[in-house]
Amino acid sequence: MPTPTTANNAAIDRLARTQLRLATTGQLRATGLATSTAARRCAPGGRWQRLLPGVVLIQTGKPDRWQQLLAAVLFAARGASVMSGHTAALTGEAVLAIYGVRGARTDRADVLVGAGRRLRDRSYVRLHPTRRWPPTLRGEGIPCVRAVRAASDFAAHEPSPDRIRALLVNTVQRGRCHPDDLLAELHASHALRNPAARAVLDDLRVGIRSIAEGEARDTLLRADIPDPLWNPTLHTPSGTFLARPDAYWPYEGVALEVDSAEYHLGITEYRATLRRRLLLESHGVGVLSVTPTLVRDHPEELTTAVLTKLHLATTRTTRPRVVLRA
């Protein structure tokens, strides 16, 4: 039979391996470790450290960002299965960072808890009671919500419309959720009570899929240029998929592409973009290509070029050989 100390150490080692070297005080007590021993190890100069009330880091070094986020969930969780995601789960911007959404930060932990829980925010932890408990999963070893709920919860509390637009469109562009699902979640979670979230809702409705597209749309609307279709699907008359341009004016047969290497995954996708332009031109679509920098720094040049392209398109005698598909 192993001695109690040996058994304690083995159980604590298991916690350390499976919980990013973190444990709750309740879990430590369940291993048989005396409360006084845990307190001594967490004292200044000890082997462990207390990150949040009831949460111990089983190491001496500084915690990394994933450990800090898991500590926030453990702080808010209750019961024996604190890692289940049933009583506490990470949401908001930090979850988007876990999913690789560009621009998302991890300096704050937004944690969902059940409605009626009496817990207070602590340090970098913000608690959000909810009656709509979502499905959860593990990301970087942390119980967290899916991207669509995380994006909606972020939008509900973020004061900056620019940051909401950036993270929401990046979440969609990254393929972490479908825009229709995101719109439904924004309504269901009442995130649109936040004026900053309502300000970017129209972008999502019309099909904006990137920050650069949103900035281009702002510029075109300010110039009273008719709103195009954003990211429509174009097919050949025979039904073969042709392209999905960033913007398309169907009556004039003009497409706008707003892209650069910065907004692509790599040279392979950039080459595919160039080929897409050739295909569009070969089917009678006039393509205007601009970079995000041009949109931001020279908006008057963009509007002049678009107006010129649209005017010239009305003078031609042949129509583009493309079909719009839903």
Side-chain angles (χ1 to χ4, degrees), residues 41-308:
R41 293 181 182 181
C42 292
R47 297 158 50 188
W48 299 347
Q49 50 190 304
R50 200 176 300 276
L51 289 190
L52 290 165
V55 182
V56 172
L57 179 64
I58 310 173
Q59 68 181 44
T60 56
K62 183 179 179 181
D64 64 25
R65 58 178 179 165
W66 306 133
Q67 289 173 319
Q68 289 182 311
L69 294 175
L70 179 55
V73 175
L74 295 179
F75 160 70
R78 64 179 179 181
S81 55
V82 293
M83 292 288 289
S84 67
H86 295 155
T87 62
L90 191 68
T91 189
E93 186 172 4
V95 171
L96 300 181
I98 289 173
Y99 293 144
V101 174
R102 186 173 59 247
R105 302 194 301 250
T106 56
D107 52 338
R108 190 177 81 178
D110 293 287
V111 181
L112 292 181
V113 295
R117 296 282 305 278
R118 294 186 177 182
L119 278 174
R120 294 182 178 180
D121 297 345
R122 292 293 184 104
S123 183
Y124 61 94
V125 183
R126 299 293 180 268
L127 302 172
H128 303 281
T130 182
R131 297 185 186 279
R132 296 179 58 250
W133 198 260
T136 60
L137 42 77
R138 297 275 182 92
E140 297 293 340
I142 305 165
C144 58
V145 303
R146 295 175 179 173
V148 64
R149 178 62 181 266
S152 179
D153 287 344
F154 164 75
H157 302 285
E158 171 59 42
S160 167
D162 289 342
R163 293 212 72 232
I164 292 176
R165 169 191 267 180
L167 266 67
L168 264 56
V169 298
N170 283 344
T171 299
V172 171
Q173 187 183 44
R174 183 82 177 177
R176 295 307 183 184
C177 66
H178 191 278
D180 291 343
D181 294 333
L182 179 53
L183 284 170
E185 183 60 38
L186 287 169
H187 283 283
S189 64
H190 305 296
L192 298 178
R193 291 173 179 171
N194 179 3
R198 291 198 302 272
V200 302
L201 182 64
D202 198 42
D203 279 356
L204 294 173
R205 282 177 173 156
V206 301
I208 294 296
R209 298 291 181 270
S210 73
I211 301 170
E213 291 172 10
E215 292 174 342
R217 183 170 186 257
D218 289 344
T219 298
L220 297 175
L221 290 176
R222 284 194 296 267
D224 292 327
I225 294 175
D227 208 11
L229 302 176
W230 291 93
N231 292 286
T233 301
L234 304 183
H235 286 73
T236 66
S238 64
T240 302
F241 173 78
L242 179 61
R244 189 174 290 111
D246 295 331
Y248 183 64
W249 287 266
Y251 177 76
E252 295 85 355
V254 170
L256 174 67
E257 294 280 61
V258 187
D259 49 37
S260 71
E262 175 188 357
Y263 288 85
H264 291 283
L265 298 178
I267 190 63
T268 300
E269 186 170 339
Y270 188 64
R271 286 172 177 166
T273 298
L274 297 178
R275 181 171 181 269
R276 182 173 71 246
R277 293 172 189 168
L278 289 175
L279 287 172
L280 286 169
E281 292 280 3
S282 70
H283 284 78
V285 176
V287 180
L288 180 63
S289 299
V290 296
T291 65
T293 301
L294 188 150
V295 172
R296 288 192 299 268
D297 298 342
H298 304 284
E300 69 288 345
E301 295 180 10
L302 169 64
T303 56
T304 299
V306 170
L307 286 171
T308 300

